[in-house]
Amino acid sequence: MVATSHVPAIGGAIAHGRQQETYWKPFFDGFQAVHRWLGQAKPDVVVVFYNDHGLNFFLDNLPTFAVGAAPEYRNEDEGWGIPSLGAFPGDAHLSWHIIDQLVADEFDIATCQQMKVDHAFSIPLKLLWPDGPAIPVRTVPIAINTVQHPLPSAKRCLALGTSVHRALASYPGDSKVLLLATGGLSHQLDGERAGFINRPFDQKCLDALVNHPEELIGYSTRQLVELAGTQGVELLMWIAARGALGGTAARLHMNYHIPISNTAAATLLLAPAA
Ligand code: DHB
Ligand code: FE
């Protein structure tokens, strides 16, 4: 499992080759260990837990949980960042397998046979596979509402992930699946607290996510907003993906850097404990 921030300005830095500049280097260098690990792990498909920011879903129609089941997903973001991204290939077979399990586990999800994906999906995938125009994996997007309140609870997001874990455990064939969480960590983009970052809370989350994610599920949405910032609730993606990893985990790599744009940028690489 990889978890990482998805600040749109990262796309601009990639597009303009700024990875070695003083501002960006501490963030991009945090991916070297991830690239080495991916080179060995060679996943075939990535299940991406991300939050749409108003591109595919808007306030008039906003599912709490939505699972993509399309042959491909196009990025049609705000227009800044990486130019001319090709379509991301889907894996409708795995999508429907996950959907079957989620519905069996009584999650009332939306299923999307057409779905546009925004920077929260595209940028982390380009951070993982920076070379070439296309990524070498199929994708399954799982979008969690962090735009319009009420948001799903941390407890519910962990349970959603656990259901995805069950789905993956029963998936026939030998596809290697990577879990990817995008968003966070603490940040607030607007209002009186714009620029708010909470390093101690981020550290607590980064520790808890390894083997005690249940320590994070007691927080209400209001508490998460207070502690992590209005947009820091994107932590929910990390909690969901950790549920999907299941069991006990080993932390293979972590990077934490303040700030990238308005965000405490973090990258976490976990593997199932041997
Ligand atoms: C920023 C962070 C986000 O998570 C996002 O979706 C947009 C912008 C930022 O820090 O600039
Ligand atoms: Fe975001």
Side-chain angles (χ1 to χ4, degrees), residues 47-70:
V47 176
V48 187
F49 293 86
Y50 77 109
N51 56 297
D52 181 276
H53 298 70
L55 174 73
N56 193 72
F57 305 112
F58 200 57
L59 305 181
D60 59 333
N61 184 355
L62 225 166
T64 299
F65 299 121
V67 182

Side-chain angles (χ1 to χ4, degrees), residues 123-149:
I123 286 176
L125 289 172
K126 288 309 288 180
L127 284 167
L128 263 47
W129 289 282
D131 301 326
I135 58 165
V137 286
R138 304 183 298 279
T139 60
V140 174
I142 301 183
I144 300 179
N145 167 35
T146 59
V147 169
Q148 177 155 268
H149 291 253

Side-chain angles (χ1 to χ4, degrees), residues 5-9 51 53 78 80 118-120 183-185 187-189 231-232 234 260-264:
S5 311
H6 63 219
V7 176
N51 56 297
H53 298 70
E78 299 94 331
W80 59 305
D118 73 359
H119 65 272
L185 283 176
H187 63 298
Q188 171 141 350
L189 302 178
Q231 284 77 29
E234 291 173 349
I260 291 296
S261 184
N262 286 302
T263 297

Side-chain angles (χ1 to χ4, degrees), residues 252-267:
L252 303 186
H253 174 67
M254 186 184 84
N255 188 40
Y256 183 80
H257 176 68
I258 293 175
I260 291 296
S261 184
N262 286 302
T263 297
T267 302

Side-chain angles (χ1 to χ4, degrees), residues 73-88:
Y73 304 94
R74 292 195 170 274
N75 172 239
E76 296 185 15
D77 222 344
E78 299 94 331
W80 59 305
I82 308 166
S84 63
L85 277 176
F88 295 94

